[in-house]
Amino acid sequence: MPRTFDEEMEFLHRQTPYSWKIAKGFVPNMKVEGEFFVNKHLENLMLEELRHSCQGSTGGFLPGVKQIANVAALPGIVKSSIGLPDIHSGYGFAIGNMAAFDMDDPQAIISPGGVGFDINCGVRLLRTNLSETDVNPVKEILCQSLFDHIPVGVGSKGVIPMGAKDLEEALEMGMDWSLREGYAWAEDKEHCEEYGRMLQAEPSKVSARAKKRGLPQLGTLGAGNHYAEIQVVDEIFDKYAANKMGLEYKGQVCVMIHCGSRGLGHQVATDALVAMEKAMNRDNIIVNDRQLACAHIGSQEGQDYLKGMCAAGNYAWVNRSSMTFLTRQAFGKVFKCSPDDLDMQMIYDVSHNIAKIEEHMVDGKQKRLLVHRKGATRAFPPHHPLIPVDYQLTGQPVLIGGTMGTCSYVLTGTEQGMEQTFGTTCHGAGRALSRAKSRRKLDFQEVLDKLTDQNISIRVASPKLVMEEAPESYKDVTEVVNTCQAAGISKKAVRLRPIAVIKG
């Protein structure tokens, strides 16, 4: 018999003003506790979602608390299943849920639901030496130039020449391919997670169907919550960290690009889920939710997915690099100079949907872990060997994209985050309304009028996306970021304000 809300709440315990524990027993077979980070307002959203689920009124979606707990029941998980403040319902893992699995445990698993269908969906930030006053007179022209240069929307096709052999090389080489072909600068690679290349990638583990979907889409923005946005520095919280990133004054113009691996990544995930359903039956792996289909990391299916996922991750970096090239071209065309003259350097590129082999301390011992971050961002602290020399004293830059018309943030990683969340923080605002609800509740013209009132230029390929991606569809990104700072898992450096956005 289903438990009441009050009975469910007996398993949830507030630890600090910004964190809760989910005790074992909340769902069957929990190997570790769950944990989630929220402030008072976000906490109410989480608990209200749980209350609705007890009343059977969530439309079939599992609430975030249940999804965190179900992940805590997966074989080989260590420490706890962790939810970040932007958490919301997703396929298998909640979006904003991370978990780490012990590579030395033969029972430990890898799960496509812990990565997501848009493998290596991520964000990169470019700075410029332009100010808002330089851009304002040509803002509409610049916005149109970006829209003209970057293919956007469902079914969009790339303008970067690519044959089957090029695709194979891109899947293996990641940003090294972009660098060789002249679509990236050497400094770009230095300022990217994994230096823009997952070395475990094997293109042969990506199906012919996935490659067919990916071949025409390289250098395209896609639809959904993906965007290219012209932003300005609105507030500097940490002057030293901001200066290290080349963000020196309020009003300085930047460009943020948010996209992933498009149809190729989606197909890699879909193919793996089919294979893993069979592997689970063979290996007697029991999960609480069918969407958490998984395989032992060391199994053939686990290794095939890991290598295919890494190849899709490389594709995503090539995709973002191609759009960076097109963005630099668009700016150069409007300002009639080379991108070099505009100092269009990449500050950093972060991944939101990925699983990576990393070393972390667990119960006083150093362990090799497979860290799944779904809708979550790596946030390594100062002096970590895997972050660039430029950021050794500040910690890794963490790019938190806002919603259409709201601010974005640059954070830095902290030592406390390394200890509490395996060096992980939030990735954005997190949805508050489903896409269908957004379309029902919001008016297309009203959303556009609000953007106009904020002096934000917009180009969009599909009108329905305007409602789906409106700020009202999301949690407040400032509350999410402030919660991460208050909990000590990351630290605010810079706030960015949008002045123009292009979307699929």
Side-chain angles (χ1 to χ4, degrees), residues 141-151 159 330 333 459 502:
I141 298 168
L142 188 57
C143 187
Q144 188 62 47
S145 182
L146 261 185
F147 194 69
D148 291 342
H149 276 75
I150 300 175
V159 294
K333 184 175 181 182
R459 300 292 185 279
I502 74 163

Side-chain angles (χ1 to χ4, degrees), residues 324-343:
T324 300
F325 171 78
L326 296 170
T327 297
R328 286 167 173 157
Q329 296 285 100
F331 268 71
K333 184 175 181 182
V334 171
F335 290 98
K336 297 181 173 56
C337 62
S338 84
D340 267 331
D341 295 331
L342 298 173
D343 189 33

Side-chain angles (χ1 to χ4, degrees), residues 103-118:
M103 294 287 291
D104 296 324
D105 181 347
Q107 297 303 309
I109 58 88
I110 182 170
S111 174
V115 172
F117 284 93
D118 193 0

Side-chain angles (χ1 to χ4, degrees), residues 146-152 156-163 177 183 214-221 315 319 322-323 325-327 329:
L146 261 185
F147 194 69
D148 291 342
H149 276 75
I150 300 175
V152 302
S156 54
K157 294 189 175 180
V159 294
I160 303 291
M162 175 162 272
W177 183 88
Y183 298 119
L215 188 59
Q217 292 185 330
L218 195 75
T220 65
L221 195 55
Y315 178 95
N319 194 29
S322 301
M323 278 183 277
F325 171 78
L326 296 170
T327 297
Q329 296 285 100

